[in-house]
């Protein structure tokens, strides 16, 4: 699987371009990702949003309009897609256009990008509609803002809940193989095994 990473915007948010034999898909759409796609000269087949926070959907409406492509997300963040400016008092620096979601995806569904099959994990806690995309054959997961290298997602924004987030991490992510590579919404990639052993937010709260 060929993966191109772009980081942009005030929060240096990651977007991931997955290239397959049947076309390319983008995971998340931070500020600047539309320009990144233009430079890559790809014909985008679709956009997947890991959750609805403004830094992950900044260029989403522009990308969907330009490529006339589907946009996929979880329904529990519907309000953030239909009216992203509800986040204005929590750091949103500009007004954003609503994002038209063409398909809401659920826990346990399998989503195909070319020959790659991604299992959808619903990972609430950081955001009600947070999802992860797990590809077992490649041994990787695109996890949004749930788990970082040395950190976890913030839970002080509307819809955030620390106990729910920790349950998502322990009951969904940490039950995957330790060698699984995590591509997070911010910062460098890591592995689940490394986070089990070194992440200060997980140490002392590990499930038996």
């Amino acid at each position: 699987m060929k993966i191109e990473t772009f980081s942009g915007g005030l929060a240096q948010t990651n977007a991931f371009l997955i290239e397959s034999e049947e076309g390319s898909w983008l995971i998340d759409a931070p500020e600047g990702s539309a320009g990144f796609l233009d430079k890559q000269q790809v014909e985008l087949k679709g956009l997947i949003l890991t959750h609805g926070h403004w830094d992950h959907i900044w260029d989403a409406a522009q990308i969907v309009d330009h490529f006339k492509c589907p946009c996929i997300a979880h329904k529990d963040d519907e309000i953030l897609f239909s009216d992203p400016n509800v986040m204005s008092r929590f750091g949103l620096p500009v007004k954003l256009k609503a994002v038209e979601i063409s398909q809401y995806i659920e826990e346990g569904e399998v989503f195909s990008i070319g020959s790659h099959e991604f299992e959808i994990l619903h990972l609430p806690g950081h955001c009600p509609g947070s999802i992860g995309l797990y590809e077992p054959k490649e041994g990787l997961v695109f996890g949004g803002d749930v788990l970082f290298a040395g950190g976890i997602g913030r839970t002080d924004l509307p819809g955030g809940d620390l106990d729910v987030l920790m349950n998502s991490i322990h009951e969904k992510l940490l039950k995957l193989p330790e060698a699984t590579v995590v591509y997070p919404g911010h910062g460098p990639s890591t592995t689940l095994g490394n986070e089990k052993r070194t992440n200060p937010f997980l140490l002392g709260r590990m499930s038996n």
Side-chain angles (χ1 to χ4, degrees):
M1 181 188 301
K2 184 178 179 181
I3 302 168
E4 296 284 345
T5 304
F6 168 82
S7 298
L10 295 174
Q12 282 296 288
T13 303
N14 293 332
F16 301 101
L17 182 65
I18 303 174
E19 300 181 35
S20 77
E21 64 276 9
E22 296 180 9
S24 300
W25 283 73
L26 187 70
I27 298 177
D28 287 334
E31 181 182 6
S33 56
F36 162 74
L37 292 175
D38 286 341
K39 290 180 181 179
Q40 295 294 312
Q41 297 183 330
V42 299
E43 187 61 36
L44 197 70
K45 295 297 183 181
L47 171 64
I48 304 171
L49 300 173
T50 61
H51 61 292
H53 283 162
W54 60 265
D55 57 315
H56 289 258
I57 69 170
W58 188 290
D59 279 5
Q62 180 182 350
I63 289 170
V64 170
D65 180 67
H66 178 75
F67 289 99
K68 309 301 180 187
C69 66
C71 185
I72 295 170
H74 194 279
K75 64 181 180 180
D76 285 358
D77 277 357
E78 182 176 6
I79 184 60
L80 298 178
F81 304 126
S82 62
D83 185 12
N85 299 299
V86 299
M87 294 291 291
S88 60
R89 66 181 187 274
F90 297 100
L92 178 60
V94 298
K95 286 190 175 182
L96 297 179
K97 291 183 178 180
V99 183
E100 183 177 349
I101 305 299
S102 52
Q103 178 186 350
Y104 285 113
I105 203 160
E106 299 285 346
E107 164 85 18
E109 290 188 39
V110 175
F111 185 81
S112 297
I113 298 178
S115 61
H116 304 291
E117 294 190 340
F118 292 87
E119 179 184 345
I120 301 302
L121 307 175
H122 184 206
L123 302 168
H126 171 68
C127 209
S130 290
I131 60 171
L133 295 95
Y134 173 53
E135 217 287 18
K137 291 183 180 179
E138 295 283 340
L140 59 84
V141 60
F142 297 97
D145 286 1
V146 176
L147 180 67
F148 305 121
I152 60 173
R154 61 187 294 182
T155 57
D156 58 331
L157 297 175
D161 187 303
L162 179 58
D163 289 336
V164 172
L165 177 64
M166 296 305 295
N167 185 71
S168 292
I169 293 172
H170 286 295
E171 297 302 319
K172 303 283 184 67
L173 289 181
L174 295 187
K175 290 190 175 180
L176 302 177
E178 289 196 1
T180 301
V181 177
V182 180
Y183 289 91
H186 304 271
S189 62
T190 184
T191 66
L192 292 177
N194 185 64
E195 296 314 301
K196 282 184 179 181
R197 292 185 291 271
T198 65
N199 191 310
F201 295 91
L202 303 185
L203 295 175
R205 298 190 64 161
M206 300 299 294
S207 298
N208 294 323

